[in-house]
């Protein structure tokens, strides 16, 4: 058997050395609340690059201060953020990892001491703030903020940009009828609710010709919400807009109970891959190499995206290689202790 997990994968002009991706995970570690990279980020991300992860996608990084989930979020809303991000990208590449960044706006899920904005003035739950309904000018400004974030990501040397369209944050809020009650061209039909994401993709593409990923929540887990059929349709539109890959997550648009089990979102990655005819990444409770290999060999997804298991084991690629009985290259400094 040829092991697929360690086969290279081409994303436009970028070749990943394997199919293992570090999932974006907020670290809430900008202690000065300025959105700038801190020592924690250098240590945390570089450790996974040393551990031989193929693509590292930085945590949700805010395109405006108002779009942060918390005051400690990483940011890319100003040119002052470029220096730290450039240094970090350099460190990741030094260890052979490709560098990605998830650019994001929290919308109604921002927990900040300031006004927050969303497609409609509907709070996520009774504990959270009611957002201000975005005006057309707010929409235009936010699309521009995503575009400027892409300009800065390019300057910092990132290989990949991922748009955060999942987990009930701003883009996701536009897509779902549960959070979008607008009467203008950004609300109503699925096409109209997709318009904000469509315009964000188009705007980013005017300044970014590298690989573009979109993370989606393929199920709202609510009878009146979006389901996989809606996402198959929208991911087809993303394919037409030349998005390279869909990172397929689910939930968190509204409070809902989700039945989680190993690979619980893989079926959505599989449906989108085959029905929307676009490459996908599978994420969610994938912790063993054999499980990852099964997903790839059965062509259920093209990349394996790992979050919490990489917190527990920064060298998960090495652990996975051992589980699959193959040897992978070690950082030269570690060669004497790696493949034994
Ligand atoms: C600490 C932590 C922070 C997270 N932050 C983000 C984030 O910034 N963006 C995102 O899309 N998902 C985020 N997630 C979700 C993960 O990327 C992933 O989709 C989820 O944990 C399921 O994968 P797993 O079972 O491998 O952990 C976060 C998860 C954790 C545990």
């Amino acid at each position: 058997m040829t092991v697929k997990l360690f086969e290279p994968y081409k994303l436009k002009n970028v070749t990943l050395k394997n199919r293992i991706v570090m999932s974006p995970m907020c670290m809430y570690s900008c202690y000065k609340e300025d959105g700038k990279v801190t020592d924690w980020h250098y240590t945390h991300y570089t450790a996974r690059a040393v551990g031989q992860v193929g693509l590292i996608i930085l945590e949700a990084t805010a395109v405006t201060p108002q779009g942060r989930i918390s005051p400690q979020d990483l940011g890319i809303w100003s040119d002052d953020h470029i220096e730290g991000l450039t240094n970090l990208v350099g460190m990741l590449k030094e260890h052979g990892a490709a560098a990605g960044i998830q650019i994001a706006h929290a919308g109604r899920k921002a927990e900040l001491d300031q006004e927050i904005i969303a497609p409609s003035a509907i709070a996520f739950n009774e504990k959270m703030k009611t957002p201000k309904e975005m005006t057309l000018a707010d929409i235009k400004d936010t699309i521009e903020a995503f575009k400027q974030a892409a300009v800065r990501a390019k300057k910092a040397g990132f290989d990949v940009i991922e748009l955060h369209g999942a987990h009930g944050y701003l883009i996701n809020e536009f897509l779902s009828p549960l959070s979008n009650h607008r009467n203008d061209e950004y609300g109503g039909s699925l096409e109209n609710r997709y318009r904000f994401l469509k315009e964000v993709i188009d705007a980013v593409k005017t300044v970014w010709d590298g690989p573009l990923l979109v993370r989606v929540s393929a199920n709202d887990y609510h009878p009146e919400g979006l389901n996989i059929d809606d996402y198959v349709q929208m991911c087809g539109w993303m394919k037409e807009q030349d998005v390279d890959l869909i990172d397929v997550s689910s939930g968190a648009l509204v409070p809902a109970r989700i039945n989680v089990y190993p690979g619980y979102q893989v079926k959505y990655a599989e449906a989108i891959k085959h029905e929307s005819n676009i490459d996908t990444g599978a994420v969610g409770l994938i912790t063993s190499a054999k499980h990852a290999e099964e997903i790839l060999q059965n062509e259920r997804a093209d990349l394996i995206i790992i979050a919490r298991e990489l917190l527990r084991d920064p060298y998960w690629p090495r652990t996975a290689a051992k589980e699959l009985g193959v040897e992978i290259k070690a950082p030269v400094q570690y060669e004497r202790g790696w493949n034994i």
Side-chain angles (χ1 to χ4, degrees):
M1 181 182 105
T2 353
V3 171
K4 254 190 131 169
L5 191 59
F6 294 100
E7 266 181 13
Y9 176 75
K10 236 175 125 53
L11 260 174
K12 275 217 169 79
N13 54 328
V14 177
T15 302
L16 311 182
K17 67 180 169 188
N18 59 42
R19 308 293 181 108
I20 303 170
V21 179
M22 179 174 180
S23 200
M25 279 181 281
C26 286
M27 290 288 108
Y28 308 116
S29 294
C30 302
Y31 305 112
K32 292 188 185 155
E33 305 190 357
D34 57 3
K36 288 187 184 166
V37 170
T38 63
D39 284 352
W40 174 258
H41 300 104
Y42 292 124
T43 306
H44 166 70
Y45 289 112
T46 308
R48 277 73 194 173
V50 170
Q52 303 301 302
V53 170
L55 167 64
I56 293 177
I57 307 182
L58 260 59
E59 64 203 81
T61 302
V63 300
T64 66
Q66 196 182 26
R68 289 174 293 176
I69 302 166
S70 83
Q72 291 80 25
D73 284 19
L74 209 53
I76 190 162
W77 64 79
S78 133
D79 286 350
D80 294 343
H81 294 119
I82 298 172
E83 188 184 345
L85 292 169
T86 305
N87 294 339
L88 180 52
V89 167
M91 289 168 80
L92 303 185
K93 290 191 181 176
E94 195 180 319
H95 300 291
I101 184 164
Q102 184 184 55
I103 56 175
H105 190 297
R108 70 176 183 174
K109 287 177 97 177
E111 296 191 55
L112 302 170
D113 284 336
Q114 63 182 95
E115 181 181 67
I116 63 169
I117 56 171
S120 299
I122 310 165
F124 174 73
N125 62 24
E126 59 289 347
K127 290 193 197 118
M128 291 179 73
K129 255 191 206 164
T130 301
K132 186 197 92 163
E133 177 176 313
M134 289 168 80
T135 61
L136 290 178
D138 292 330
I139 291 177
K140 201 164 151 263
D141 290 349
T142 309
I143 292 169
E144 179 64 21
F146 273 99
K147 176 176 158 185
Q148 292 309 322
V151 169
R152 296 184 189 109
K154 189 170 176 174
K155 285 191 181 148
F158 282 99
D159 300 298
V160 170
I161 292 180
E162 174 170 286
L163 301 176
H164 197 347
H167 303 165
Y169 297 114
L170 188 68
I171 291 174
N172 196 177
E173 290 161 20
F174 270 94
L175 298 177
S176 177
L178 299 174
S179 43
N180 180 346
H181 291 189
R182 299 181 72 90
N183 296 316
D184 58 10
E185 67 266 38
Y186 291 93
S189 65
L190 189 64
E191 285 89 340
N192 278 359
R193 281 180 274 116
Y194 180 72
R195 190 178 312 280
F196 179 71
L197 174 54
K198 177 177 185 285
E199 292 181 357
V200 170
I201 294 171
D202 284 343
V204 165
K205 281 201 155 284
T206 61
V207 294
W208 174 261
D209 56 7
L212 183 65
L213 279 48
V214 179
R215 174 167 269 202
V216 299
S217 273
N219 193 342
D220 286 347
Y221 302 106
H222 186 287
E224 278 101 51
L226 297 176
N227 60 33
I228 184 61
D229 298 332
D230 300 306
Y231 276 96
V232 162
Q233 172 81 64
M234 288 190 284
C235 293
W237 295 336
M238 291 181 222
K239 166 88 179 172
E240 284 168 21
Q241 285 187 272
D242 201 25
V243 167
D244 297 284
L245 182 136
I246 309 292
D247 170 353
V248 187
S249 187
S250 71
L253 187 270
V254 288
R257 279 197 71 79
I258 307 176
N259 179 27
V260 296
Y261 48 85
Y264 66 104
Q265 297 170 148
V266 175
K267 57 183 178 292
Y268 304 134
E270 185 172 13
I272 290 169
K273 176 172 169 58
H274 296 290
E275 293 170 44
S276 315
N277 192 26
I278 186 166
D279 282 6
T280 59
V283 64
L285 277 180
I286 303 166
T287 56
S288 93
K290 285 193 179 129
H291 184 194
E293 194 59 19
E294 180 277 322
I295 294 165
L296 295 174
Q297 292 285 355
N298 282 317
E299 298 181 358
R300 306 176 74 195
D302 302 277
L303 293 176
I304 299 297
I305 306 175
I306 310 272
R308 288 163 294 179
E309 191 61 16
L310 270 169
L311 296 184
R312 294 183 281 267
D313 179 2
Y315 295 171
W316 189 79
R318 176 182 176 273
T319 307
K322 284 188 84 127
E323 190 185 328
L324 296 171
V326 295
E327 289 193 354
I328 58 165
K329 235 175 115 215
V332 67
Q333 296 89 337
Y334 288 2
E335 273 168 359
R336 287 172 65 183
W338 191 262
N339 281 314
I340 49 170

